Amino acid sequence: MKQMRSIQIVSAWLLLCISQPVASQLKVKPDGNVGIGTNNPVARLHVHGEGLVDSHTSPWGRAFWTRVHHRDAGSYYLWNSVYGRDVFFVNGRGWLWAMQGAFTGSDSTMMEDVAPIESPLDAVRQLQGIRFRYGKENGGDKTDGYRLGLVAQQVERVVPEAVKIMQDSTKAIAYDDLVPLLVEAVKEQQQQIDALMAFIAYQQEEIGRLKKRRNP
């Protein structure tokens, strides 16, 4: 009897939430759309206000996820009313697009154990850029054309810091981490070029002096 009474109370509360016109309540429309903070939900779940997912999942656990059933379907879009357009999206094939790019925290106050990159030019010379397509099982399509990249297993042997093992045991490259390597490699190469140019200039001066001796 007590359990039945509890069910009746919960049912009455849900009916109250559904029927209340106040925007702060839960609203379920006849078409199945659910609104929180709005009386006119225009999607299956329409939240007006801030949201919080407080997840305590294990490593690689899904705190929040969306299942899409078309390879080009958008799984997440961020629309900005100021610009009147999408400014960020991820689609069903794993493409991520941001209107003004992505940034990585790199403030000096965040860093520990800072050290120079050793032998950067030698490391770059061991890498091989490739043209490739993603396989169909990984969201690829023959109409997509070729991509440019590196092979993670090869990069791992040279710059292991730039490779991450994913939850499915495949390997991914943090291409941003290769930029400092390229910067230092260019600087090292330029030092070699400067040294060669100085040597060539010295040789030319020596040749000039020898010519003067022969033809005083």
Side-chain angles (χ1 to χ4, degrees), residues 5 11 25 35 81 87-88 132 135 138 148-149 158 183 187 206:
R5 179 61 177 168
S11 299
Q25 300 291 338
S81 61
V87 294
F88 177 90
F132 70 99
N138 292 302
L148 302 180
V158 182
V183 169
K187 289 165 61 179
E206 285 295 305

Side-chain angles (χ1 to χ4, degrees), residues 6 13 18 27 56 65 95 124-125 151 171 173 210:
S6 298
W13 180 81
I18 293 171
K27 178 71 175 181
H56 297 278
W65 60 287
W95 289 1
V124 170
R125 292 174 64 181
V151 177
K171 296 181 178 181
I173 298 173
L210 289 173

Side-chain angles (χ1 to χ4, degrees), residues 13 17 20-29 32-52:
W13 180 81
C17 289
Q20 281 290 328
V22 182
S24 61
Q25 300 291 338
L26 175 70
K27 178 71 175 181
V28 181
K29 294 181 68 177
N33 288 351
V34 178
I36 300 176
T38 176
N39 289 321
N40 187 32
V42 296
R44 280 292 175 260
L45 177 61
H46 183 169
V47 179
H48 181 74
E50 295 182 350
L52 171 66

